[in-house]
Amino acid sequence: MNNPKLSIVDLTKRYAPGLDPAVDCLSMSVEEGHLVALLGPSGCGKTTTLRMVAGLMDPTSGSIMVDGKDITQTPVHKRGMGMVFQSYALFPHMDVAQNVAFGLQMRKVGSKEQNRRVVEALDLVKLGHLAGRQVKELSGGQQQRIAIARALVVEPTLLLLDEPLSNLDAKLRENMRTEIRSIQQRTGATTLFVTHDQDEALDMADRIAVMNGGIIEQYGAPAEVYERPQTHFVADFIGQANFFASAVVADDGAAADGERSYVVDVDGFGRFGAVGAAGLAGSTHEIVVRPHRLKTSLQQPAGPFIEGVIERVSYTGDSLSLGLRAGGKELLSQMPTASSGIPRLGQTAYLSWDPADAFIIPGTAGIPHGTERPATADALAAQDVA
Amino acid sequence: MKSYTRRGFAALALTAASALALSACGGGAEAGKEAGSPTSGEVNLIAYSGIWEEQYTKAVIEPFKAKYPDIKINFVSKRSSAEMLSALQGQKGSPGTDVAIMDNSVSTTGNRQGLFEKLDTSAVPNMANVPEKFRNKDGYGPVAMLDAVGLVYDTATFPTAPDSWKVLWDPANKGKVNIVAPPSLLGISLTAITAKMEGEDYTQSIEKATAKLKELAPSVQSFAPNPDEYQSVITGQTVIGLGQNARAQYYSDQSKKKIGVAVPKEGSVYQINTINLVKGAPHSAAAKTFINYALSAEAQSAFAKALFYAPSVTNAELPAEVKARVVATDNPDITALDIDFLSKARDKWTQEWKRQIITK
Amino acid sequence: MSIITAAGNSAPGPGLAPGVLEKAKSRRDRRTFLALLAPAILGLVASFVLPLAYMVRMSFNEGGPDGVVEEGFTLRHYIEPLGDSYFWKVTLDTFQMGLVVGVLCVLVSYPVAMFLARSTSKFKGLLTALAIAPLLTSAVVRTYGWMVILGDTGLVNSSLKSMGFITDPLKLTNNMTGVTIGLVEIFMPYAILAMISGFGRLSPQLEEAAGSLGASKFKVFTRVTLPLTLPGVLTAFLMVFVLSVSTFITPRLLGGGAVQVLATEIYDQTTGLLNWPFAAALSVILLVLFGIIISVYQRLTKKIGA
Ligand SMILES: Nc1ncnc2c1ncn2[C@@H]1O[C@H](COP(=O)(O)OP(=O)(O)O)[C@@H](O)[C@H]1O
Ligand SMILES: [Mg+2]
């Protein structure tokens, strides 16, 4: 990322002097042509961030740069961004073609050129045949596409989408995901995409910025964010997770991708293997194991294991989801279905994992053995005594 | 073509729809017949509102009540005689009103329309004290009181009372003049006065008067002064204007002589109120008692003292200082307007003012 | 009148009910519906239709001097004013006053309505109440207020004088200027209310969308805000127009007898000259004027797709 398309530096927004900042000293860069998802729970500051980038809102401090140029003070209508609103915000007093042409008219594009580009944009979203329609005669999905066409027709420096799929029904949402992704890839538009839906983010984005409480907890490729969560929040928010408070007992040598293997003492369950960044030995951390990486069997395995009682079974056809209770802790696991031997409620099951599938979350309080947990690790404490 | 009243038409429309039942369907007494007792019951009086009602109640109605405690007077007040006439026209057939005190010109119309009863000294003994000239030649209701149109002025601007109508045209007063335009009697009177000053017979033409009044128009602050022509001067919106002597005298006292009133040397026009018995009055006997009292020397002088209207009876005694402030009823320069002519000309003159004089 | 149209719309048409049973049911529904509406319709007929019919009938009667009305059928009271340049002038002045007051009132109320419609303040309710609070006082009182403010020695003239801008007072009362100022202020609350309720299609997101597409503040206003608020503006204009053309008090009090509009003319004819047939005819002419304006309004609103 030598020449990022968009850089956000120490961006802060405080809605009112007394309030906690909605966006707190946030920095990130977006590479040209990438689709970046701002992912996080409702109220974490995604929309605020997007609106500051769009120029619809002034930051309290910090700066926004596009192509290396500071645009923090540039008014919205001179930023050349293409924004798609959650409610689509199509102009109800104009027909479809007029809506799409609006940005071109503002840019004083000649009428011939206008027509050509409107047709092109409508074709891009496969709605060329609706050019003369009134906005109120369109379905939600169609409105969505028109909104995208309207934003893209001006060849925006950035395409900004605020929860574009949240008003669509589930089936349509799936289709639009692929649709938007394919349009974005075809046009190469650098895109900032706000969503609270992790599947959407994982599916569509080149990079995901996981936001929480006005800050970015982790910024990375989908696989990275999923497999190597840097904080408890990220691990918990994206996908399902089992957390274990563990003492990192010993460095067990090099693992793949420059990581280290460790021996960890999992609170109350004995010693297991796990991987993580270098230099973690001797401190207490959480490890995360995804349910489908938890090996579940009804016979005792050879290596270390956790013994649990099956409390919940849910059968989804190609996999079984199990809820287990082990040592007062609630655990989730998944196993492939077999034609026979479906686990029953109340049966004992044995859980284990490959060391490579357990990841030591570095962000979770790197505290030496035997010391009291600081107050900031409250969430973690709640997790493992449950 | 049948002549009929609005109320009749309204009743027709309403009964047809059977939406409303008429409440006033009592049916009055037959013409000429006595209705009710002369010393008890009630009398429904229709007359002017505001200060007039206030002072008449104090000076005449209350003493009457003291004298005839069994007769209750219900005062229905209207802002103008035209509105009274309109109300009476609406009641024709089944009147709710017994007595009307209204402008001579309007009551004459009422007489012609058969709204009123004739009166004589046998019914109203005090009419004997009303001189011939104040009696109706056909025997209808006589004059109850008189007043005249005058110049109401701001005493600070005019330390000595203006003695000529010409002061209205004085450029010094530009923008400070108020004129109550026709159909008000004040505006009608000014038209007649101006015609006279221009040597014109208003029954023939008001061409010259119109031209002269047109010259006045740009100086006029308001052709419908608010709240009224007296307050307009008292509050300083204007310094001079038309008004009635009687009310102006009263307001002069009220305002501690902030305003004065003068009847100029060129003469003026009487404003004459008659007292009338409504035809088919539901309480005609008590009404006659009241009319008789209203024409008594006692009532006449009491009202003159209260609101400075000149008595219409010969036997009313007035203190000198009051006498000086009510209009003389024998001033040859003060004329009564030709009522028959006026009833035809009022509309025309009103239009003339609107089209020629007020419009710039 | 809207009640009647509503009845017309919601009563199911015969074609809509295929089965006999449904037909019977729909007929019963309609009967219940009419029964429920009956009091309202009766009230409307008694309070609105009958007086109106009476007035129209009155306008064809012969009017004699001093308030005598003769039943008959004459078009005199229509033909005479129509052939009279004075009444044309009064009618045109009335129309013009309605237009000017309507336009000015909308212009000054628009920003207020916009502010209130957009406000997210917790005091929004209070502010709206304040904006329409003048409705709590009578138009007469407010007109007197304006007479005091605009008079020759009133607030405006005395301050201008003391600041040395003028030597002679500006004539702001007893003419059309005063009437216009008074009416604009008096009808502002109505205009504000009409506009706020007509601003439904406007949303901040639409304006933001326009801005993000490159529209300057001015362009946002002309291309998005204004077109979307136009229905409210038109409604407010229509309301103020109708109110100011039919109002009598303010033209009478602030006009000082020098402002002749249909309403003052009707008043003079009714109470001063007692010529009811003529007054009725003028009222009918005024109604026709309303009719014209309202049909223009409907055509316009249809056109802007409100
Ligand atoms: N206009 C505003 N005034 C005050 N606080 C606001 C405003 N808009 C958003 N917030 C607050 O800022 C935080 C972030 O909001 P937002 O950016 O809309 O979150 P998200 O889009 O992630 O759901 C929330 O706590 C929200 O309540
Ligand atoms: Mg949001």
Side-chain angles (χ1 to χ4, degrees):
Chain A
M1 274 219 275
N2 288 338
N3 290 314
K5 182 74 179 171
L6 167 72
S7 316
I8 295 172
V9 182
D10 293 343
L11 198 63
T12 300
K13 177 69 188 182
R14 227 179 258 277
Y15 279 106
L19 294 180
D20 283 342
V23 171
D24 192 2
C25 212
L26 182 142
S27 299
M28 71 187 284
S29 302
V30 177
E31 209 170 308
E32 173 107 49
H34 268 189
L35 189 156
V36 170
L38 292 176
L39 173 67
S42 176
C44 71
K46 307 179 297 286
T47 298
T48 305
T49 307
L50 196 75
R51 287 172 62 82
M52 287 190 284
V53 173
L56 295 171
M57 192 182 274
D58 290 328
T60 308
S61 63
S63 54
I64 300 161
M65 280 173 303
V66 169
D67 294 322
K69 242 178 59 205
D70 191 328
I71 58 154
T72 318
Q73 303 303 325
T74 311
V76 53
H77 66 282
K78 296 207 170 124
R79 289 200 184 183
M81 309 261 176
M83 175 107 178
V84 175
F85 292 83
Q86 196 168 355
S87 60
Y88 316 137
L90 294 180
F91 304 127
H93 58 300
M94 301 180 193
D95 67 18
V96 166
Q98 287 167 335
N99 261 282
V100 177
F102 187 85
L104 297 174
Q105 286 164 4
M106 292 305 117
R107 285 164 177 74
K108 303 209 159 56
V109 172
S111 69
K112 254 201 195 135
E113 169 85 353
Q114 253 182 49
N115 289 340
R116 190 184 61 73
R117 283 168 69 176
V118 167
V119 168
E120 206 176 273
L122 286 174
D123 285 345
L124 182 72
V125 296
K126 305 195 184 104
L127 288 179
H129 58 290
L130 294 183
R133 281 278 186 92
Q134 287 302 309
V135 166
K136 56 177 172 241
E137 300 164 359
L138 301 180
S139 71
Q142 289 169 333
Q143 292 194 24
Q144 165 77 88
R145 291 189 222 199
I146 300 301
I148 293 171
R150 183 177 70 176
L152 281 176
V153 76
V154 298
E155 290 165 5
T157 42
L158 285 172
L159 179 62
L160 307 173
L161 305 151
D162 190 0
E163 312 236 8
L165 304 176
S166 62
N167 286 346
L168 303 177
D169 58 61
K171 188 86 179 86
L172 198 55
R173 205 178 305 168
E174 297 274 313
N175 291 342
M176 279 312 290
R177 262 194 216 171
T178 4
E179 181 88 28
I180 290 177
R181 179 60 166 160
S182 107
I183 291 169
Q184 188 264 333
Q185 280 173 340
R186 268 182 287 154
T187 56
T190 311
T191 302
L192 211 54
F193 180 106
V194 164
T195 181
H196 64 267
D197 182 335
Q198 40 142 343
D199 289 337
E200 228 166 77
L202 291 171
D203 186 15
M204 297 168 70
D206 293 302
R207 294 282 183 275
I208 297 174
V210 184
M211 290 185 65
N212 182 29
I215 60 161
I216 294 181
E217 295 251 346
Q218 187 171 356
Y219 182 44
E224 211 177 308
V225 171
Y226 184 78
E227 302 289 352
R228 294 293 178 257
Q230 298 300 300
T231 65
H232 174 88
F233 174 83
V234 173
D236 193 33
F237 189 75
I238 300 181
Q240 290 180 308
N242 295 300
F243 294 101
F244 302 95
S246 311
V248 183
V249 178
D251 192 321
D252 201 21
D257 304 324
E259 285 179 327
R260 310 287 300 173
S261 286
Y262 291 101
V263 176
V264 295
D265 190 356
V266 177
D267 198 14
F269 297 113
R271 297 202 166 189
F272 291 82
V275 296
L280 295 175
S283 54
T284 298
H285 283 281
E286 255 191 327
I287 64 171
V288 57
V289 187
R290 299 290 179 190
H292 65 277
R293 301 265 164 76
L294 214 47
K295 288 194 275 191
T296 313
S297 103
L298 299 177
Q299 279 86 46
Q300 270 191 19
F305 61 83
I306 294 172
E307 191 179 321
V309 179
I310 299 173
E311 288 192 323
R312 212 155 30 76
V313 179
S314 92
Y315 179 80
T316 58
D318 37 54
S319 76
L320 266 180
S321 293
L322 300 178
L324 301 111
R325 181 156 295 277
K329 207 169 149 72
E330 181 112 38
L331 296 175
L332 300 168
S333 84
Q334 262 166 30
M335 55 192 290
T337 47
S339 35
S340 63
I342 296 175
R344 281 170 288 110
L345 292 183
Q347 242 183 330
T348 301
Y350 303 91
L351 305 168
S352 60
W353 60 77
D354 279 344
D357 290 336
F359 178 68
I360 305 169
I361 302 173
T364 50
I367 30 179
H369 296 211
T371 31
E372 287 267 320
R373 286 196 191 92
T376 45
D378 273 353
L380 187 144
Q383 186 79 42
D384 55 27
V385 296
Chain B
M1 206 178 275
K2 190 185 91 182
S3 165
Y4 74 111
T5 59
R6 285 184 200 98
R7 178 55 171 261
F9 189 88
L12 209 79
L14 290 172
T15 4
S18 61
L20 283 175
L22 285 174
S23 51
C25 283
E30 288 297 304
K33 270 194 204 153
E34 213 57 350
S37 149
T39 52
S40 66
E42 54 187 337
V43 172
N44 295 328
L45 169 69
I46 193 165
Y48 298 100
S49 61
I51 193 66
W52 200 99
E53 174 179 7
E54 205 176 278
Q55 295 304 315
Y56 200 72
T57 303
K58 212 175 76 187
V60 180
I61 294 176
E62 275 164 14
F64 175 79
K65 271 185 190 159
K67 215 162 176 174
Y68 299 94
D70 294 334
I71 300 180
K72 186 169 173 276
I73 308 273
N74 303 312
F75 199 120
V76 177
S77 59
K78 297 283 174 190
R79 282 188 312 176
S80 73
S81 299
E83 285 176 39
M84 293 178 216
L85 180 67
S86 183
L88 292 174
Q89 283 170 342
Q91 295 173 0
K92 198 179 178 186
S94 57
T97 309
D98 300 294
V99 178
I101 301 178
M102 53 165 51
D103 188 80
N104 192 22
S105 63
V106 179
S107 67
T108 305
T109 303
N111 294 340
R112 227 179 356 242
Q113 291 178 9
L115 293 174
F116 297 124
E117 201 74 69
K118 292 185 182 180
L119 291 169
D120 55 35
T121 45
S122 66
V124 182
N126 282 335
M127 262 177 77
N129 300 319
V130 179
E132 192 59 38
K133 62 175 177 178
F134 293 150
R135 293 214 211 152
N136 183 285
K137 60 183 186 301
D138 297 320
Y140 289 104
V143 173
M145 65 211 65
L146 299 91
D147 192 28
V149 178
L151 274 174
V152 176
Y153 58 93
D154 172 41
T155 49
T157 314
F158 300 95
T160 53
D163 65 347
S164 168
W165 294 101
K166 294 202 170 92
V167 70
L168 292 173
W169 279 264
D170 185 345
N173 302 321
K174 193 167 164 43
K176 295 278 181 191
V177 179
N178 79 74
I179 302 287
V180 188
S184 160
L185 191 83
L186 293 173
I188 298 280
S189 301
L190 183 65
T191 315
I193 292 165
T194 311
K196 188 180 157 199
M197 291 195 313
E198 295 292 297
E200 197 173 32
D201 176 3
Y202 68 76
T203 60
Q204 301 304 312
S205 157
I206 54 163
E207 210 174 295
K208 285 183 188 157
T210 304
K212 185 75 181 164
L213 288 167
K214 234 169 135 165
E215 288 169 29
L216 174 61
S219 296
V220 175
Q221 170 67 244
S222 173
F223 290 99
N226 279 299
D228 62 32
E229 53 274 27
Y230 314 99
Q231 301 305 320
S232 176
V233 179
I234 291 172
T235 58
Q237 298 171 62
T238 53
V239 297
I240 192 148
L242 302 183
Q244 286 177 11
N245 169 70
R247 288 163 190 249
Q249 293 288 0
Y250 175 83
Y251 283 122
S252 173
D253 290 350
Q254 291 289 303
S255 65
K256 303 201 172 63
K257 307 289 175 197
K258 171 90 172 75
I259 62 168
V261 58
V263 176
K265 59 176 189 259
E266 293 94 344
S268 181
V269 171
Y270 279 118
Q271 193 265 307
I272 300 167
N273 288 329
T274 55
I275 186 161
N276 307 278
L277 177 64
V278 175
K279 181 171 255 170
H283 319 98
S284 61
K288 282 173 190 164
T289 308
F290 176 72
I291 293 172
N292 194 48
Y293 180 76
L295 294 173
S296 68
E298 176 194 346
Q300 291 268 318
S301 57
F303 193 53
K305 285 178 211 160
L307 199 58
F308 304 100
Y309 271 87
S312 63
V313 295
T314 47
N315 59 340
E317 297 291 333
L318 296 182
E321 74 273 13
V322 176
K323 204 171 165 71
R325 295 173 70 184
V326 304
V327 293
T329 55
D330 52 2
N331 185 339
D333 286 331
I334 307 182
T335 52
L337 290 173
D338 181 332
I339 286 159
D340 287 328
F341 169 76
L342 201 65
S343 84
K344 287 179 210 89
R346 192 188 277 262
D347 185 27
K348 214 176 127 261
W349 285 16
T350 303
Q351 294 303 334
E352 199 72 3
W353 272 76
K354 287 186 174 171
R355 291 159 199 238
Q356 302 293 330
I357 299 166
I358 298 174
T359 308
K360 276 131 259 169
Chain C
M1 274 187 292
S2 60
I3 300 170
I4 291 170
T5 12
N9 289 341
S10 43
L16 293 174
V20 180
L21 208 73
E22 278 102 273
K23 246 183 211 167
K25 188 171 176 288
S26 88
R27 213 175 300 138
R28 189 151 24 89
D29 281 353
R30 189 192 304 196
R31 224 173 279 157
T32 323
F33 197 75
L34 285 178
L36 286 172
L37 267 183
I41 291 176
L42 258 178
L44 214 62
V45 167
S47 68
F48 186 74
V49 180
L50 282 182
L52 200 67
Y54 174 53
M55 188 186 82
V56 173
R57 176 66 191 91
M58 176 60 83
S59 69
F60 295 115
N61 282 331
E62 280 288 353
D66 303 313
V68 180
V69 176
E70 305 215 330
E71 191 185 6
F73 188 86
T74 173
L75 293 173
R76 192 161 69 86
H77 300 114
Y78 292 96
I79 294 166
E80 268 170 24
L82 289 178
D84 183 339
S85 64
Y86 170 73
F87 282 100
W88 276 106
K89 189 183 170 303
V90 169
T91 307
L92 286 178
D93 282 355
T94 306
F95 199 82
Q96 191 185 330
M97 179 185 79
L99 285 180
V100 171
V101 171
V103 167
L104 290 178
C105 196
V106 162
L107 280 180
V108 294
S109 305
Y110 190 84
V112 181
M114 188 63 85
F115 172 79
L116 289 173
R118 284 192 176 160
S119 168
T120 51
S121 153
K122 61 182 163 196
F123 298 115
K124 182 176 179 168
L126 183 72
L127 291 173
T128 311
L130 275 180
I132 61 172
L135 288 179
L136 295 174
T137 59
S138 83
V140 180
V141 172
R142 286 197 279 158
T143 301
Y144 270 105
W146 278 112
M147 285 162 55
V148 172
I149 293 168
L150 298 175
D152 282 0
T153 52
L155 192 69
V156 173
N157 273 317
S158 58
S159 6
L160 286 176
K161 215 171 193 169
S162 69
M163 288 186 284
F165 289 123
I166 52 169
T167 47
D168 290 327
L170 299 175
K171 194 153 168 56
L172 299 174
T173 49
N174 300 321
N175 57 12
M176 194 52 109
T177 313
V179 174
T180 306
I181 294 171
L183 286 178
V184 166
E185 188 273 336
I186 285 166
F187 294 140
M188 265 181 78
Y190 296 98
I192 290 170
L193 278 183
M195 282 197 258
I196 289 178
S197 63
F199 285 177
R201 292 200 303 172
L202 186 67
S203 84
Q205 297 226 316
L206 292 173
E207 294 175 303
E208 289 179 351
S212 75
L213 287 165
S216 61
K217 285 223 164 80
F218 178 74
K219 282 273 183 205
V220 171
F221 181 77
T222 57
R223 293 291 307 271
V224 176
T225 314
L226 190 59
L228 288 176
T229 51
L230 214 51
V233 168
L234 276 181
T235 309
F237 172 82
L238 177 78
M239 200 156 165
V240 173
F241 178 90
V242 169
L243 285 171
S244 47
V245 161
S246 57
T247 189
F248 153 74
I249 290 162
T250 307
R252 178 75 177 189
L253 295 185
L254 271 167
V259 170
Q260 274 123 33
V261 288
L262 282 172
T264 56
E265 201 59 46
I266 291 168
Y267 177 85
D268 281 348
Q269 291 293 341
T270 313
T271 63
L273 300 166
L274 301 180
N275 194 346
W276 283 30
F278 187 45
L282 289 181
S283 304
V284 172
I285 292 173
L286 192 57
L287 272 179
V288 170
L289 205 65
F290 288 163
I292 292 171
I293 279 290
I294 287 170
S295 70
V296 169
Y297 163 81
Q298 278 178 334
R299 212 154 293 169
L300 272 178
T301 45
K302 209 170 274 171
K303 206 166 169 189
I304 60 173

